[in-house]
Amino acid sequence: MNPHAYVHGYSPRENRRLSEQSEILKQILHGDTHFEPASLVLEAGCGTGAQSAILSPMFPETVFMGIDISLASLAEARSRGLHRHHFSRTDINCLPFPPETFDHVLVCFVLEHLTDPEKALYELKRVLKPRGLITVIEGDHGSCFWHPETRASRTVWQSLITVQSGLGHDPDIGRRLHPLLSRAGFHVQMTRPCWLYADASCPDLLDGMVNKIIVPMVKTARESAIQQGLAGEAEWAEGIADLEKSGNPPGGTFFYTWFKSIGVKQD
Amino acid sequence: MNPHAYVHGYSPRENRRLSEQSEILKQILHGDTHFEPASLVLEAGCGTGAQSAILSPMFPETVFMGIDISLASLAEARSRGLHRHHFSRTDINCLPFPPETFDHVLVCFVLEHLTDPEKALYELKRVLKPRGLITVIEGDHGSCFWHPETRASRTVWQSLITVQSGLGHDPDIGRRLHPLLSRAGFHVQMTRPCWLYADASCPDLLDGMVNKIIVPMVKTARESAIQQGLAGEAEWAEGIADLEKSGNPPGGTFFYTWFKSIGVKQD
């Protein structure tokens, strides 16, 4: 198995999804994100820089080091022209930084794609200064529901979960951030759900979440899902169409929650 | 099928669960509940008065009319000695009140137990004054997840959902409150998730939610679940034990969300 497998792949459509997603979710995920001015932040698994682009104007005196395993994603991140953001191709499990380098580590949508998230947390802790902070934001696909929820739409959603689990990754990792950080030796200051609920009262958010984030994300797993016999082609098409319906007022509703955890490196 | 079937039954243990639940959830569910002083509120499906007991001291000038189909539950509600609370045995689909009687209607954990919730909403609207408000709070069992989540614990939880659905009721009704109220002719002012997340940082809440609310609730469906072949006896016992583990620190976590919707009776 490819140790760097990424369930969503690296297509231009997926890159666009990552940017649209981060704009839609800015307030939900980063409303309480905080970095000290003049601090040095490691953004581990920065991907195409979708979060970097959000955080850069929020923290105009902070310096960021973004690392990722994908050269193509890093090229996209660099092309954003973000000052104070440095990017480097690096394996999260084996960082080329001396111990106690960073004031803060940010991990966003990364642990869910690793075979051993606890190991990565130990390595991130190593490069964090004493009493330094780690902010982790991860989704939980098991938290997701919508209306109307049909058998076919549930099948395509479950297919994504099964494909990602089959890579040895945990798409439900959000719910276990607290015990995971604790076991890795952090003192957990806070863990909270960052939830999104949308209905006909906020049609743009409903459409954005379902049709710009969720449906494109599910589609990244189409080939694998059909290949693995998790859904037939017709069933897949029906499930996607049904999922799209939940993004339409007046009847559609959608719920998903990410989790955000802040831990302190203990002495 | 008994038109008044109630998945959780009417045992003393269940009555205790309803009271413990309402104390634990007071802030989550009723933090923003509001009734005008000197208003007349219909609490439709008041059961044993668990919500009434919470709301009574919060609104010392409000008069409540509690109705329910169960005489035994109403006896329990009356035994609480709540002043300004009147109780009457009444079918929610056929209310003995003149049109435009009440200033506000409260419905809490009721629509999920009805075969035709929309019909009940029409009847409640009839007895509501013009521009009167309806506050609806309902759970959504499809929103629930925990850690560690084993196959057996998922099976017992799913059994409860299947047994309740088999009665023709909708245990996932929370997610469709907004479209349901809209279709019944209310102008929906607000719909929000009322979520509970608990982990080792709040061990009492974690224990209370899992061991005083969820596990006893799941247990009310044990006989039906086994009878319907949804789980074997050994599997059931294993699932309950696993579910209980999610209520224990340091590793356990739990998430559930109810939904709360406020609608206005349109002219």
Side-chain angles (χ1 to χ4, degrees):
Chain A
M1 191 180 288
N2 176 0
H4 302 138
Y6 177 56
V7 66
H8 306 312
Y10 296 99
S11 70
R13 180 64 191 87
E14 169 62 8
N15 291 352
R16 179 149 69 89
R17 182 186 73 85
L18 293 170
S19 284
E20 290 179 339
Q21 168 176 272
S22 60
E23 274 299 333
I24 293 170
L25 305 181
K26 180 178 171 181
Q27 190 52 41
I28 294 172
L29 300 181
H30 292 300
D32 58 356
T33 295
H34 181 69
F35 304 121
E36 292 296 321
S39 62
L40 181 61
V41 176
L42 175 65
E43 189 188 347
C46 63
T48 61
Q51 305 303 317
S52 323
I54 295 292
L55 297 169
S56 192
M58 288 174 69
F59 302 99
E61 295 176 62
T62 302
V63 177
F64 293 86
M65 180 77 226
I67 63 147
D68 204 90
I69 200 67
S70 160
L71 278 172
S73 296
L74 288 167
E76 177 107 1
R78 284 195 190 96
S79 75
R80 294 175 184 266
L82 301 168
H83 302 301
R84 295 171 291 103
H85 283 256
H86 309 277
F87 296 102
S88 163
R89 182 177 191 274
T90 295
D91 185 337
I92 197 171
N93 289 307
C94 183
L95 300 168
F97 309 112
E100 307 186 358
T101 299
F102 297 95
D103 298 291
H104 202 132
V105 171
L106 171 68
V107 181
C108 190
F109 307 153
V110 177
L111 300 184
E112 59 162 325
H113 298 297
L114 303 180
T115 46
D116 192 344
E118 199 172 336
K119 184 179 166 194
L121 287 172
Y122 274 107
E123 178 63 352
L124 293 167
K125 197 177 65 169
R126 183 184 67 78
V127 301
L128 197 54
K129 288 181 186 167
R131 310 295 300 159
L133 296 172
I134 186 167
T135 296
V136 184
I137 301 171
E138 299 286 338
D140 192 309
H141 285 4
S143 76
C144 188
F145 56 90
W146 54 90
H147 178 73
E149 189 176 297
T150 62
R151 182 180 294 260
S153 57
R154 186 41 76 179
T155 296
V156 297
W157 179 250
Q158 196 57 44
S159 295
L160 171 67
I161 292 177
T162 307
V163 168
Q164 191 171 341
S165 302
L167 298 173
H169 305 163
D170 183 2
D172 294 348
I173 202 165
R175 71 189 69 177
R176 64 185 181 100
L177 282 191
H178 190 101
L180 199 55
L181 282 167
S182 297
R183 266 212 317 276
F186 291 96
H187 171 70
V188 184
Q189 282 189 329
M190 175 211 83
T191 305
R192 71 169 179 92
C194 304
W195 54 269
L196 181 150
Y197 164 71
D199 59 29
S201 68
C202 46
D204 289 346
L205 182 63
L206 181 63
D207 171 65
M209 184 60 193
V210 173
N211 294 314
K212 294 195 176 69
I213 299 180
I214 291 297
V215 168
M217 182 170 77
V218 172
K219 282 181 173 174
T220 62
R222 181 179 182 275
E223 303 314 313
S224 304
I226 289 172
Q227 211 167 28
Q228 293 173 30
L230 303 171
E233 292 202 15
E235 192 183 14
W236 181 273
E238 183 190 340
I240 292 290
D242 286 353
L243 207 47
E244 284 168 344
K245 271 180 213 151
S246 75
N248 297 336
T253 71
F254 192 90
F255 182 93
Y256 187 96
T257 192
W258 299 262
F259 282 86
K260 182 174 192 172
S261 213
I262 298 176
V264 188
K265 179 176 175 175
Q266 291 176 312
D267 299 328
Chain B
M1 191 180 291
N2 176 0
H4 302 140
Y6 177 55
V7 66
H8 305 312
Y10 296 99
S11 70
R13 179 65 190 87
E14 170 62 7
N15 291 353
R16 178 149 69 89
R17 183 185 75 84
L18 293 170
S19 283
E20 290 180 340
Q21 167 176 272
S22 60
E23 273 299 331
I24 292 170
L25 304 181
K26 180 179 171 179
Q27 190 51 40
I28 293 172
L29 301 180
H30 291 301
D32 58 354
T33 295
H34 181 70
F35 304 121
E36 292 295 322
S39 63
L40 180 62
V41 176
L42 174 65
E43 188 187 347
C46 62
T48 61
Q51 306 302 317
S52 322
I54 295 291
L55 296 168
S56 192
M58 288 174 68
F59 302 99
E61 295 176 61
T62 302
V63 176
F64 293 85
M65 181 76 225
I67 62 144
D68 204 272
I69 200 67
S70 161
L71 279 173
S73 297
L74 288 167
E76 175 107 3
R78 284 194 191 96
S79 76
R80 294 175 184 266
L82 301 169
H83 301 300
R84 297 171 291 104
H85 283 255
H86 310 276
F87 296 102
S88 163
R89 182 177 191 275
T90 293
D91 185 336
I92 196 170
N93 289 307
C94 183
L95 300 169
F97 309 112
E100 308 186 357
T101 300
F102 297 94
D103 298 291
H104 203 133
V105 171
L106 171 69
V107 181
C108 190
F109 308 154
V110 176
L111 299 184
E112 59 162 324
H113 299 297
L114 303 180
T115 46
D116 192 343
E118 198 172 336
K119 184 179 168 195
L121 287 172
Y122 274 107
E123 178 64 351
L124 293 168
K125 198 177 63 169
R126 183 183 67 80
V127 300
L128 196 55
K129 289 182 185 165
R131 309 296 299 159
L133 296 172
I134 186 168
T135 296
V136 184
I137 300 172
E138 298 286 339
D140 191 310
H141 285 4
S143 76
C144 187
F145 56 90
W146 54 90
H147 177 74
E149 190 176 297
T150 62
R151 182 181 294 262
S153 58
R154 184 43 75 180
T155 296
V156 297
W157 180 250
Q158 195 57 44
S159 295
L160 171 67
I161 292 176
T162 306
V163 168
Q164 191 172 342
S165 302
L167 297 174
H169 305 163
D170 183 1
D172 295 348
I173 202 165
R175 71 189 67 176
R176 64 186 181 99
L177 282 191
H178 189 101
L180 198 56
L181 281 168
S182 296
R183 265 212 318 275
F186 291 95
H187 171 70
V188 184
Q189 282 189 329
M190 175 209 83
T191 305
R192 70 170 180 92
C194 305
W195 55 269
L196 181 150
Y197 164 71
D199 59 29
S201 68
C202 46
D204 289 347
L205 182 63
L206 181 62
D207 170 65
M209 183 61 193
V210 174
N211 294 314
K212 294 195 176 69
I213 299 180
I214 292 296
V215 168
M217 181 170 77
V218 172
K219 282 180 172 174
T220 62
R222 180 179 182 275
E223 304 314 312
S224 303
I226 290 172
Q227 210 168 28
Q228 293 173 29
L230 303 172
E233 293 203 13
E235 192 182 14
W236 181 273
E238 183 190 338
I240 292 290
D242 287 353
L243 207 47
E244 285 168 343
K245 272 180 212 150
S246 75
N248 297 335
T253 71
F254 193 90
F255 182 92
Y256 187 97
T257 193
W258 299 261
F259 282 85
K260 182 173 190 172
S261 214
I262 299 175
V264 188
K265 178 176 176 175
Q266 292 176 312
D267 300 328

